[in-house]
Amino acid sequence: MPRKLIIDADPGIGDALAITLAVLDPEVELLAVTATAGCVDGPTATRNVTAVLTLLDPDKRPKVGACETGDAGAGPGFGGEELDWAAVNGPDGLGAWELPDVELYAPRDSPRLLVELVREHEGDVTLLTLGPLTNVKLAAERWGGFYDALGGLVVAAGSVESGGDATAAAEFNVASDPLAARSVLTGRAAKTLVPLDVARQPVLSPPAWETVKGRLGGGAGELLEQMLPWALRANHQHFGVEGISLQEPTALAAAIRPSLFEREEMAVDVETAGDLTRGMTVFDRRGVRRWQTNVEVVREVDAPGLQDWVIGLLSRAR
């Protein structure tokens, strides 16, 4: 049976690529994509999710959760270090794609939709978060049984050893809403964390992209041909990466292709107040651990295997 999946996202090229892969994967039943503010503001995230799913036009249309509040790069603390996320992702978040006019009919806000679907499919839904954890915190506050009713929670956030990308210490998804991140990561939910250290290892090389590009078709092909050349340039300019980062697809794979990863039980907390460290994920790695373990952390990835999985799915885009 296909795995029931909800993706909470702030698209973003990487998030849009992960959503596309989830639609293409026959082993995934994508129930919904819920929008959150992050690398784009809330209304733009909602529009981007709606536009991507409209273009992909899957046989079973996922529901869309709306986010009408929240600025891009939400939360103070970035100071002069903040990246120009519009330059990284494009003016509307999706590279060079000129988004069509789309509108949700009778939109439901993201936390409400999360609660409704997890209640309806209690114990069967894996929730994958690709943006700040605001919606997850709000859903848990709305319904006390939310975490217990999830079949799985996979969080793309934080870093263990390599520092951040929003600041020297903080990864963007955590730095955007550290209070929400702390609530979710230190809470009672059973969860898997996909940190920056591991998520940014797999890269679709320029030659591999050229191979994939020749196989693309349909709505997915149209979307990727508008987004991924932008990502190729932006990854080189802003992150020094030669190729297309598969950061968000890596988080998706952690949710649905667990055999590609090795994991470790760890203890984590989130810094919410430091001038230099606000949004930093702090792990107890002392020889004699004092904190109780509260998260399963992805520590290693089969990067070639993950790239093959991505190329195989993209080859289905017709």
Side-chain angles (χ1 to χ4, degrees):
M1 293 290 291
R3 183 187 297 266
K4 290 180 171 61
L5 182 71
I6 299 173
I7 298 177
D8 188 72
D10 59 333
I13 293 173
D15 288 21
L17 175 56
I19 292 166
T20 302
L21 293 170
V23 168
L24 292 173
D25 194 326
E27 297 186 25
V28 172
E29 181 184 353
L30 186 60
L31 297 179
V33 181
T34 52
T36 188
C39 71
V40 294
D41 62 37
T44 301
T46 304
R47 180 182 172 219
N48 287 0
V49 168
T50 307
V52 167
L53 291 176
T54 299
L55 184 63
L56 295 176
D57 192 25
D59 293 336
K60 185 175 181 181
R61 186 71 173 270
K63 296 179 180 179
V64 175
C67 178
E68 297 305 326
T69 60
D71 296 329
F78 290 118
E81 296 185 59
E82 184 179 0
L83 273 174
D84 182 357
W85 293 100
V88 172
N89 287 290
D92 294 311
L94 298 180
W97 187 33
E98 294 184 8
L99 273 69
D101 291 328
V102 291
E103 186 174 350
L104 276 177
Y105 174 73
R108 282 176 289 180
D109 72 273
S110 292
R112 175 185 171 190
L113 182 59
L114 285 172
V115 168
E116 289 176 356
L117 290 174
V118 172
R119 277 185 186 272
E120 181 182 350
H121 304 280
E122 188 166 345
D124 292 332
V125 173
T126 298
L127 173 59
L128 168 65
T129 71
L130 299 177
L133 289 161
T134 311
N135 285 336
V136 182
K137 176 176 180 290
L138 292 174
E141 290 172 350
R142 185 180 290 250
W143 178 35
F146 181 75
Y147 290 141
D148 294 333
L150 281 172
L153 175 60
V154 179
V155 178
S159 68
V160 180
E161 298 167 325
S162 64
D165 55 357
T167 69
E171 182 272 334
F172 180 83
N173 289 339
V174 179
S176 291
D177 193 343
L179 293 176
R182 188 178 202 190
S183 174
V184 175
L185 293 181
T186 64
R188 71 175 189 275
K191 54 202 164 290
T192 298
L193 185 71
V194 187
L196 196 62
D197 322 54
V198 173
R200 63 184 172 190
Q201 289 179 23
V203 174
L204 189 68
S205 67
W209 163 240
E210 289 300 319
T211 299
V212 168
K213 187 167 62 172
R215 303 176 184 175
L216 294 174
E222 178 183 340
L223 176 63
L224 296 174
E225 286 177 355
Q226 294 296 320
M227 290 195 310
L228 295 192
W230 186 293
L232 195 64
R233 294 190 299 270
N235 276 277
H236 171 75
Q237 180 178 351
H238 297 284
F239 302 113
V241 173
E242 297 301 326
I244 296 166
S245 172
L246 298 178
Q247 187 170 320
E248 289 80 5
T250 298
L252 172 65
I256 62 176
R257 291 290 187 279
S259 62
L260 293 171
F261 301 89
E262 294 185 12
R263 296 164 166 78
E264 178 183 351
E265 295 290 334
M266 301 185 75
V268 67
D269 205 336
V270 176
E271 176 59 69
T272 62
D275 289 338
L276 296 177
T277 57
R278 185 176 186 271
M280 181 179 181
T281 41
V282 181
F283 294 83
D284 186 357
R285 305 179 67 198
R286 292 172 285 190
V288 179
R289 182 183 294 150
R290 301 294 193 274
W291 299 353
Q292 184 175 354
T293 57
N294 56 9
V295 66
E296 180 185 66
V297 182
V298 170
R299 298 290 278 150
E300 294 186 22
V301 57
D302 175 3
L306 191 137
Q307 177 176 290
D308 289 345
W309 169 71
V310 169
I311 291 173
L313 285 179
L314 293 182
S315 298
R316 297 173 59 92
R318 291 289 182 265

